[in-house]
Amino acid sequence: MQRRRTGTIAVVSALGMTAVLGGCGLTGDSGEVTLKLVAADYGDSKANSSQKYWDELAKAYEAEHPDVHVDVTVHSWTDVDREVREMVEAGEAPDMAQIGAYSDYADKDLLYSADDVLSIPVQADFVSQLAGAGQVNGVQYGLPFAASTRVLFYNKTLFEEAGATPPKSWDDLADAAEALKAKGVKYPYALPLGAEEAQAETMQWMLSGGGGYTDDVGTYSVDSPQNVTTFTWLRDELVGEGLTGPVAPGELDRADAFAAFANGDVGMLNGHPSLMKMASDKGVEYGMVTTPGIDGESRNTLGVTDWMTAFKENGHQEEIGDFLNFVYSDENVLDFSREYDLLPVTTSASQVMSTAAEDKKLKPFLDELLLSELYPVGKTSWASVSADVKKQIGQAVATGGSPEEVLGQIQTTAMRAGSAE
């Protein structure tokens, strides 16, 4: 099976594996087993859907394990977390789910820990920062699968035509957006605060303003003065000035913003590595700079990890572990990362990519990963907070909207959910 592809890395999610049977695979003594895996789609078209990736991987695994069938269902990022939650609530949890959050399931004792399903070498190979983010009360339940960091992408051609300079600060960004708008650029700055991934764009802007979802001791601070200042600036200086395009930010999904950039309709936006290939494939000449901050380059970068989780409900601990050991081989981690322009979640694969000529464009993202800040995914409340952000944050920048009120409402949700932890 030929699955070697060139690409880069930019999202996150990893499931552990376990060498329960000494790496020799399963014997089949327990009869045939079907493992159900629900996964998120990292593709940007039917041709490179994650369904295709997982089907090929499952086929390769099944060829060596005839007693194990791997049944994979792939959903968009807009739907996958909800689909898994509904399955769990109906008492029909999958064996594995590759999703955006894990801690609420861990809190209910629904998941196998990394120790339960991964071999020691696999666990030890996870990038330490990502492995640490997968812990609840010191026990790792979230298995990183893909990772990414964010930088500001800009369209070099549009910038040259507008006489604009790549921005270092918010004021620079607004000036560049004004110049782009004057030249008729459809989206001078694309601000995707739609349901697909609003929590990422939100955190990137919070960090650039010196804030974040939590304070230095890990307490939710969604409505901090810094965050209110950030979203007030976005409302007044970008959205209110017509610099974010024809679609309201609360209705613009990340995938649509990326597609618009690849079509040459966006001057600049926050992006992760997968956008490089999308833009190159469409002939867009792009540049990348550190995210602009309130008074210069942002000192903090958003790091994102997606998670593999292993559910206890069906009792397939050994089979899950054996399959995940296969998933986390260097070859498969590199293949996935390169196919979808993601950052690898293992140290060994990261070392390969940091020196391989085919991956040189990813080096800036890899270098930022260890310095990045991740979502507060270890909090069991994060899933509900993230969902509330996706639902409400667009209103914070809407004309006539109140950032202080919207952020305050999200903070109330966060504190209420956090009080149960």
Side-chain angles (χ1 to χ4, degrees):
M1 177 182 67
Q2 180 65 30
R3 290 192 298 98
R4 188 71 173 186
R5 306 172 173 98
T6 58
T8 6
I9 302 178
V11 192
V12 171
S13 139
L15 222 106
M17 341 160 196
T18 190
V20 178
L21 302 179
C24 298
L26 302 174
T27 64
D29 292 343
S30 58
E32 293 188 3
V33 169
T34 295
L35 295 177
K36 294 184 178 180
L37 167 65
V38 176
D41 195 354
Y42 291 90
D44 55 21
S45 67
K46 290 184 179 180
N48 73 339
S49 166
S50 293
Q51 186 73 56
K52 181 179 178 182
Y53 171 85
W54 283 110
D55 286 347
E56 289 181 0
L57 197 67
K59 183 178 179 180
Y61 180 78
E62 291 167 354
E64 297 181 5
H65 303 83
D67 294 323
V68 179
H69 176 65
V70 183
D71 180 8
V72 184
T73 303
V74 170
H75 295 285
S76 72
W77 272 110
T78 304
D79 299 325
V80 67
D81 289 303
R82 174 181 53 78
E83 292 282 349
V84 171
R85 183 174 64 252
E86 290 176 355
M87 292 174 71
V88 172
E89 290 173 352
E92 300 173 352
D95 296 284
M96 297 165 282
Q98 186 265 298
I99 48 181
Y102 66 86
S103 57
D104 49 339
Y105 298 125
D107 186 56
K108 296 173 183 175
D109 196 28
L110 300 178
L111 303 179
Y112 290 119
S113 69
D115 286 340
D116 291 331
V117 293
L118 302 182
S119 68
I120 292 175
V122 168
Q123 292 185 64
D125 198 26
F126 284 136
V127 173
S128 59
Q129 186 180 11
L130 304 182
Q135 295 180 0
V136 174
N137 297 324
V139 179
Q140 185 179 354
Y141 294 96
L143 311 173
F145 185 76
S148 67
T149 53
R150 300 291 197 272
V151 299
L152 185 79
F153 282 73
Y154 65 96
N155 183 310
K156 287 186 173 181
T157 302
L158 297 180
F159 263 64
E160 183 176 346
E161 292 173 350
T165 302
K168 292 185 178 181
S169 69
W170 289 0
D171 286 345
D172 293 344
L173 188 148
D175 288 344
E178 287 280 9
L180 291 162
K181 179 185 178 183
K183 285 293 184 179
V185 175
K186 188 174 183 180
Y187 294 90
Y189 178 84
L191 182 63
L193 295 177
E196 181 191 7
E197 205 188 34
Q199 81 284 0
E201 185 76 8
T202 296
M203 184 168 174
Q204 187 75 355
W205 275 99
M206 285 177 170
L207 292 172
S208 73
Y213 285 117
T214 59
D215 60 21
D216 291 341
V217 296
T219 302
Y220 281 115
S221 57
V222 180
D223 61 349
S224 70
Q226 295 94 327
N227 292 340
V228 171
T229 295
T230 295
F231 279 86
T232 300
W233 187 89
L234 284 171
R235 181 196 64 186
D236 296 344
E237 304 299 328
L238 288 189
V239 180
E241 295 294 329
L243 302 179
T244 54
V247 179
E251 298 175 6
L252 181 65
D253 282 343
R254 183 210 57 177
D256 294 332
F258 277 21
F261 185 84
N263 287 332
D265 293 329
V266 174
M268 51 188 160
L269 80 171
N270 288 324
H272 54 59
S274 64
L275 185 55
M276 294 190 297
K277 184 173 185 297
M278 289 179 64
S280 296
D281 286 349
K282 292 292 190 71
V284 171
E285 291 190 28
Y286 63 88
M288 299 183 294
V289 295
T290 300
T291 303
I294 189 169
D295 54 7
E297 292 182 352
S298 178
R299 290 178 289 276
N300 297 307
T301 298
L302 171 65
V304 178
T305 4
D306 301 324
W307 305 99
M308 185 67 80
T309 54
F311 285 87
K312 295 179 178 180
E313 185 168 312
N314 301 316
H316 295 148
Q317 179 180 351
E318 292 188 359
E319 292 86 352
I320 291 170
D322 195 70
F323 175 65
L324 291 178
N325 275 309
F326 176 75
V327 169
Y328 281 95
S329 69
D330 273 355
E331 177 185 359
N332 288 327
V333 170
L334 286 167
D335 278 353
F336 182 85
S337 298
R338 286 169 170 156
E339 171 65 14
Y340 297 109
D341 295 330
L342 298 174
L343 299 176
V345 296
T346 62
T347 300
S348 56
S350 295
Q351 289 171 343
V352 171
M353 293 192 79
S354 67
T355 58
E358 66 183 293
D359 302 314
K360 64 181 179 180
K361 288 185 177 181
L362 277 182
K363 186 76 162 55
F365 297 94
L366 284 165
D367 290 343
E368 286 190 351
L369 185 58
L370 292 178
L371 303 174
S372 64
E373 290 195 25
L374 280 69
Y375 303 129
V377 288
K379 290 180 172 290
T380 57
S381 55
W382 170 242
S384 10
V385 174
S386 177
D388 205 38
V389 170
K390 292 179 179 181
K391 180 180 179 181
Q392 296 203 62
I393 198 63
Q395 293 302 312
V397 299
T399 303
S402 169
E404 188 170 11
E405 180 179 334
V406 173
L407 293 172
Q409 290 170 351
I410 298 172
Q411 173 72 8
T412 298
T413 296
M415 295 303 290
R416 185 182 299 121
S419 66
E421 294 179 327

Short mmCIF file of all heavy atoms in Angstrom, two decimals, residues 247-284:
data_model
loop_
_atom_site.label_atom_id
_atom_site.label_comp_id
_atom_site.label_asym_id
_atom_site.label_seq_id
_atom_site.Cartn_x
_atom_site.Cartn_y
_atom_site.Cartn_z
N VAL A 247 -19.33 38.32 4.91
CA VAL A 247 -19.98 37.35 5.79
C VAL A 247 -19.71 37.74 7.24
O VAL A 247 -18.56 37.97 7.61
CB VAL A 247 -19.46 35.92 5.53
CG1 VAL A 247 -20.14 34.92 6.47
CG2 VAL A 247 -19.68 35.52 4.07
N ALA A 248 -20.74 37.80 8.05
CA ALA A 248 -20.56 38.14 9.46
C ALA A 248 -19.62 37.14 10.11
O ALA A 248 -19.72 35.93 9.87
CB ALA A 248 -21.91 38.12 10.18
N PRO A 249 -18.65 37.61 10.93
CA PRO A 249 -17.68 36.69 11.53
C PRO A 249 -18.33 35.50 12.24
O PRO A 249 -17.82 34.38 12.17
CB PRO A 249 -16.93 37.59 12.52
CG PRO A 249 -16.96 38.93 11.87
CD PRO A 249 -18.34 39.01 11.24
N GLY A 250 -19.47 35.72 12.91
CA GLY A 250 -20.13 34.63 13.62
C GLY A 250 -20.72 33.58 12.69
O GLY A 250 -21.12 32.51 13.15
N GLU A 251 -20.78 33.87 11.40
CA GLU A 251 -21.31 32.91 10.42
C GLU A 251 -20.23 32.38 9.48
O GLU A 251 -20.52 31.59 8.59
CB GLU A 251 -22.41 33.59 9.60
CG GLU A 251 -23.60 34.03 10.44
CD GLU A 251 -24.62 34.81 9.63
OE1 GLU A 251 -24.45 34.90 8.40
OE2 GLU A 251 -25.58 35.34 10.23
N LEU A 252 -18.98 32.82 9.70
CA LEU A 252 -17.88 32.40 8.83
C LEU A 252 -17.10 31.28 9.48
O LEU A 252 -16.47 31.47 10.54
CB LEU A 252 -16.95 33.58 8.54
CG LEU A 252 -15.76 33.30 7.62
CD1 LEU A 252 -16.22 32.92 6.22
CD2 LEU A 252 -14.82 34.50 7.57
N ASP A 253 -17.11 30.09 8.88
CA ASP A 253 -16.35 28.96 9.40
C ASP A 253 -14.92 29.01 8.89
O ASP A 253 -14.63 29.57 7.83
CB ASP A 253 -16.99 27.64 8.99
CG ASP A 253 -18.21 27.29 9.82
OD1 ASP A 253 -18.37 27.87 10.91
OD2 ASP A 253 -18.99 26.43 9.38
N ARG A 254 -14.03 28.38 9.65
CA ARG A 254 -12.62 28.36 9.28
C ARG A 254 -12.41 27.75 7.90
O ARG A 254 -11.63 28.26 7.09
CB ARG A 254 -11.82 27.57 10.30
CG ARG A 254 -10.33 27.54 10.03
CD ARG A 254 -9.68 26.27 10.54
NE ARG A 254 -10.33 25.10 9.93
CZ ARG A 254 -9.94 23.85 10.15
NH1 ARG A 254 -8.96 23.59 10.96
NH2 ARG A 254 -10.56 22.85 9.57
N ALA A 255 -13.09 26.64 7.59
CA ALA A 255 -12.90 25.98 6.30
C ALA A 255 -13.26 26.91 5.16
O ALA A 255 -12.56 26.94 4.12
CB ALA A 255 -13.74 24.70 6.23
N ASP A 256 -14.31 27.69 5.32
CA ASP A 256 -14.71 28.64 4.28
C ASP A 256 -13.70 29.78 4.15
O ASP A 256 -13.42 30.26 3.05
CB ASP A 256 -16.10 29.20 4.57
CG ASP A 256 -17.19 28.13 4.49
OD1 ASP A 256 -17.00 27.17 3.73
OD2 ASP A 256 -18.21 28.27 5.19
N ALA A 257 -13.16 30.22 5.28
CA ALA A 257 -12.14 31.28 5.26
C ALA A 257 -10.87 30.79 4.56
O ALA A 257 -10.27 31.51 3.75
CB ALA A 257 -11.83 31.74 6.68
N PHE A 258 -10.47 29.56 4.87
CA PHE A 258 -9.29 28.98 4.21
C PHE A 258 -9.52 28.85 2.71
O PHE A 258 -8.64 29.14 1.90
CB PHE A 258 -8.98 27.61 4.81
CG PHE A 258 -8.18 27.65 6.09
CD1 PHE A 258 -8.14 28.80 6.89
CD2 PHE A 258 -7.46 26.55 6.51
CE1 PHE A 258 -7.41 28.84 8.07
CE2 PHE A 258 -6.71 26.57 7.68
CZ PHE A 258 -6.69 27.71 8.47
N ALA A 259 -10.71 28.38 2.33
CA ALA A 259 -11.02 28.22 0.90
C ALA A 259 -11.00 29.56 0.19
O ALA A 259 -10.51 29.68 -0.95
CB ALA A 259 -12.39 27.55 0.74
N ALA A 260 -11.49 30.60 0.86
CA ALA A 260 -11.48 31.93 0.26
C ALA A 260 -10.05 32.44 0.10
O ALA A 260 -9.72 33.10 -0.89
CB ALA A 260 -12.30 32.90 1.13
N PHE A 261 -9.18 32.14 1.06
CA PHE A 261 -7.78 32.54 0.94
C PHE A 261 -7.13 31.83 -0.25
O PHE A 261 -6.40 32.45 -1.04
CB PHE A 261 -7.02 32.20 2.23
CG PHE A 261 -5.59 32.69 2.23
CD1 PHE A 261 -5.29 33.99 2.60
CD2 PHE A 261 -4.55 31.85 1.87
CE1 PHE A 261 -3.97 34.46 2.60
CE2 PHE A 261 -3.23 32.30 1.86
CZ PHE A 261 -2.94 33.61 2.24
N ALA A 262 -7.42 30.54 -0.39
CA ALA A 262 -6.86 29.77 -1.50
C ALA A 262 -7.39 30.26 -2.85
O ALA A 262 -6.74 30.08 -3.89
CB ALA A 262 -7.16 28.29 -1.31
N ASN A 263 -8.56 30.88 -2.84
CA ASN A 263 -9.13 31.44 -4.07
C ASN A 263 -8.68 32.86 -4.35
O ASN A 263 -9.10 33.48 -5.33
CB ASN A 263 -10.67 31.40 -3.99
CG ASN A 263 -11.23 30.00 -4.14
OD1 ASN A 263 -10.61 29.15 -4.78
ND2 ASN A 263 -12.38 29.76 -3.55
N GLY A 264 -7.82 33.39 -3.47
CA GLY A 264 -7.30 34.73 -3.69
C GLY A 264 -8.21 35.85 -3.24
O GLY A 264 -8.02 37.01 -3.62
N ASP A 265 -9.21 35.53 -2.40
CA ASP A 265 -10.18 36.53 -1.96
C ASP A 265 -9.91 37.10 -0.58
O ASP A 265 -10.67 37.95 -0.10
CB ASP A 265 -11.60 35.93 -1.96
CG ASP A 265 -12.09 35.59 -3.36
OD1 ASP A 265 -11.68 36.29 -4.30
OD2 ASP A 265 -12.88 34.63 -3.49
N VAL A 266 -8.86 36.63 0.08
CA VAL A 266 -8.55 37.06 1.45
C VAL A 266 -7.16 37.70 1.49
O VAL A 266 -6.20 37.14 0.97
CB VAL A 266 -8.59 35.86 2.42
CG1 VAL A 266 -8.13 36.28 3.82
CG2 VAL A 266 -10.00 35.28 2.49
N GLY A 267 -7.08 38.86 2.14
CA GLY A 267 -5.79 39.50 2.28
C GLY A 267 -4.94 38.86 3.34
O GLY A 267 -3.74 38.61 3.13
N MET A 268 -5.55 38.54 4.49
CA MET A 268 -4.79 37.92 5.59
C MET A 268 -5.76 37.23 6.55
O MET A 268 -6.94 37.59 6.64
CB MET A 268 -3.94 38.96 6.32
CG MET A 268 -4.69 40.19 6.75
SD MET A 268 -3.62 41.51 7.42
CE MET A 268 -4.73 42.91 7.22
N LEU A 269 -5.22 36.24 7.26
CA LEU A 269 -5.98 35.51 8.26
C LEU A 269 -5.03 34.66 9.08
O LEU A 269 -3.92 34.36 8.64
CB LEU A 269 -7.06 34.63 7.63
CG LEU A 269 -6.68 33.27 7.03
CD1 LEU A 269 -7.93 32.48 6.68
CD2 LEU A 269 -5.80 33.42 5.81
N ASN A 270 -5.47 34.26 10.26
CA ASN A 270 -4.71 33.31 11.07
C ASN A 270 -4.87 31.92 10.46
O ASN A 270 -5.99 31.51 10.14
CB ASN A 270 -5.21 33.29 12.52
CG ASN A 270 -4.84 34.54 13.28
OD1 ASN A 270 -3.75 35.09 13.08
ND2 ASN A 270 -5.72 35.01 14.15
N GLY A 271 -3.75 31.20 10.32
CA GLY A 271 -3.84 29.88 9.71
C GLY A 271 -2.84 28.90 10.28
O GLY A 271 -1.88 29.29 10.94
N HIS A 272 -3.09 27.64 10.04
CA HIS A 272 -2.16 26.59 10.45
C HIS A 272 -1.54 25.94 9.22
O HIS A 272 -1.87 26.31 8.09
CB HIS A 272 -2.85 25.58 11.38
CG HIS A 272 -4.11 24.98 10.83
ND1 HIS A 272 -4.16 24.26 9.66
CD2 HIS A 272 -5.38 24.98 11.33
CE1 HIS A 272 -5.39 23.83 9.46
NE2 HIS A 272 -6.16 24.27 10.45
N PRO A 273 -0.64 25.00 9.38
CA PRO A 273 0.16 24.52 8.26
C PRO A 273 -0.61 24.01 7.06
O PRO A 273 -0.13 24.13 5.93
CB PRO A 273 0.99 23.39 8.88
CG PRO A 273 1.13 23.79 10.30
CD PRO A 273 -0.17 24.45 10.66
N SER A 274 -1.77 23.44 7.24
CA SER A 274 -2.49 22.87 6.10
C SER A 274 -2.86 23.93 5.07
O SER A 274 -3.07 23.62 3.90
CB SER A 274 -3.75 22.12 6.55
OG SER A 274 -4.67 23.01 7.14
N LEU A 275 -2.92 25.19 5.51
CA LEU A 275 -3.26 26.25 4.57
C LEU A 275 -2.16 26.46 3.52
O LEU A 275 -2.43 26.94 2.42
CB LEU A 275 -3.52 27.55 5.34
CG LEU A 275 -4.01 28.76 4.52
CD1 LEU A 275 -5.26 28.42 3.73
CD2 LEU A 275 -4.25 29.95 5.44
N MET A 276 -0.94 26.08 3.85
CA MET A 276 0.16 26.25 2.90
C MET A 276 -0.10 25.49 1.61
O MET A 276 0.04 26.02 0.50
CB MET A 276 1.49 25.80 3.53
CG MET A 276 1.93 26.65 4.69
SD MET A 276 3.63 26.29 5.24
CE MET A 276 3.45 24.59 5.77
N LYS A 277 -0.47 24.24 1.75
CA LYS A 277 -0.70 23.41 0.57
C LYS A 277 -1.95 23.87 -0.19
O LYS A 277 -1.95 23.91 -1.43
CB LYS A 277 -0.84 21.95 0.96
CG LYS A 277 -0.98 20.99 -0.22
CD LYS A 277 -0.95 19.54 0.23
CE LYS A 277 -0.97 18.59 -0.96
NZ LYS A 277 -2.19 18.71 -1.77
N MET A 278 -3.00 24.22 0.55
CA MET A 278 -4.22 24.70 -0.11
C MET A 278 -3.91 25.92 -0.98
O MET A 278 -4.36 26.01 -2.13
CB MET A 278 -5.27 25.07 0.94
CG MET A 278 -5.89 23.90 1.65
SD MET A 278 -7.11 24.46 2.89
CE MET A 278 -8.35 25.24 1.83
N ALA A 279 -3.14 26.85 -0.42
CA ALA A 279 -2.82 28.07 -1.15
C ALA A 279 -1.91 27.77 -2.34
O ALA A 279 -2.13 28.28 -3.45
CB ALA A 279 -2.17 29.08 -0.21
N SER A 280 -0.90 26.95 -2.12
CA SER A 280 0.04 26.62 -3.20
C SER A 280 -0.65 25.91 -4.35
O SER A 280 -0.36 26.17 -5.52
CB SER A 280 1.18 25.75 -2.65
OG SER A 280 1.95 26.46 -1.70
N ASP A 281 -1.57 25.01 -4.02
CA ASP A 281 -2.29 24.27 -5.05
C ASP A 281 -3.09 25.19 -5.96
O ASP A 281 -3.35 24.87 -7.12
CB ASP A 281 -3.22 23.23 -4.42
CG ASP A 281 -2.47 22.04 -3.85
OD1 ASP A 281 -1.27 21.91 -4.13
OD2 ASP A 281 -3.10 21.24 -3.12
N LYS A 282 -3.52 26.33 -5.41
CA LYS A 282 -4.31 27.28 -6.20
C LYS A 282 -3.44 28.42 -6.77
O LYS A 282 -3.96 29.37 -7.34
CB LYS A 282 -5.42 27.89 -5.33
CG LYS A 282 -6.52 26.90 -4.93
CD LYS A 282 -7.35 26.50 -6.15
CE LYS A 282 -8.60 25.72 -5.75
NZ LYS A 282 -9.60 26.57 -5.10
N GLY A 283 -2.13 28.31 -6.58
CA GLY A 283 -1.24 29.30 -7.14
C GLY A 283 -1.18 30.61 -6.38
O GLY A 283 -0.73 31.63 -6.92
N VAL A 284 -1.59 30.61 -5.12
CA VAL A 284 -1.54 31.82 -4.32
C VAL A 284 -0.16 31.98 -3.70
O VAL A 284 0.34 31.07 -3.03
CB VAL A 284 -2.60 31.79 -3.19
CG1 VAL A 284 -2.41 32.96 -2.22
CG2 VAL A 284 -4.01 31.82 -3.78
#
